[in-house]
Amino acid sequence: MSSNEPKKNQVQWPLSFVLQEEQITTGMWQTSQWLLQDILLSEKDVEGTICKATLHLHRDERTDYRFNLSSVNPKLFVVLETTGQATISIHDVTVSQSVAGHYLDGDYLVLSKEMPLAIQAWVEAFIGRNGELLEQRRKKRKGAGRSSGK
């Protein structure tokens, strides 16, 4: 790893992803689809397209992280962007389902894979260091939203 590449710390983790393009035939039509084959926490020899991106954690997304970690199968989401003829690049990596969902409205492809246990522990430690983010609702002032009845 060169000195200008990001290093793993408490809020970022550089990862590698193995992407594979697969040809799908439906009736007379043939199209391609990208699959997220693997998440690499370290360098390995694998077949497929290897893309690198850094997972960043944000304090204001802690509720989303907790929701994901408490699910039966926590997921890591990879947001892909088509950059040209049959080429693809990673636009974002997140463990927040709501952040990934926002990309679905645009021209992005969102893939998910079961989150490795090492990343789950790292996210859990991040939440532990920064505390749980509980969304608080402000109390309405007395009489707000009611008609005066006069």
Side-chain angles (χ1 to χ4, degrees):
M1 190 179 281
S2 70
S3 60
N4 62 350
E5 289 185 30
K7 295 190 184 331
K8 180 184 174 218
N9 61 32
Q10 294 180 351
V11 296
Q12 69 178 16
W13 190 335
L15 299 167
S16 297
F17 302 91
V18 181
L19 300 169
Q20 187 169 1
E21 190 175 19
E22 183 176 87
Q23 296 298 320
I24 304 290
T25 304
T26 307
M28 313 179 351
W29 304 102
Q30 187 171 4
T31 187
S32 62
Q33 146 180 327
W34 285 95
L35 302 171
L36 178 56
Q37 295 288 25
D38 203 3
I39 300 166
L40 305 177
L41 305 179
S42 61
E43 297 296 321
K44 294 183 194 174
D45 290 333
V46 292
E47 290 185 27
T49 302
I50 304 243
C51 293
K52 296 183 180 204
T54 302
L55 171 61
H56 295 275
L57 298 180
H58 304 279
R59 291 187 70 211
D60 60 340
E61 296 174 359
R62 288 174 287 168
T63 302
D64 293 340
Y65 301 159
R66 172 59 63 212
F67 179 76
N68 191 356
L69 289 174
S70 64
S71 68
V72 175
N73 293 316
K75 301 284 185 190
L76 183 122
F77 302 95
V78 179
V79 180
L80 302 175
E81 180 176 30
T82 305
T83 56
Q85 189 71 14
T87 59
I88 204 151
S89 67
I90 296 179
H91 180 75
D92 197 7
V93 179
T94 184
V95 292
S96 168
Q97 187 174 358
S98 63
V99 169
H102 289 295
Y103 286 107
L104 291 173
D105 295 336
D107 291 333
Y108 297 99
L109 174 63
V110 179
L111 302 177
S112 67
K113 187 88 171 160
E114 192 168 320
M115 192 185 313
L117 287 175
I119 295 177
Q120 289 181 39
W122 178 70
V123 173
E124 190 70 52
F126 175 81
I127 294 170
R129 277 189 307 277
N130 293 290
E132 297 283 337
L133 177 65
L134 301 174
E135 293 184 21
Q136 297 176 354
R137 294 181 184 243
R138 300 178 92 194
K139 242 182 162 177
K140 287 186 177 181
R141 68 181 195 280
K142 190 173 182 176
R146 298 187 188 125
S147 65
S148 63
K150 290 185 180 181

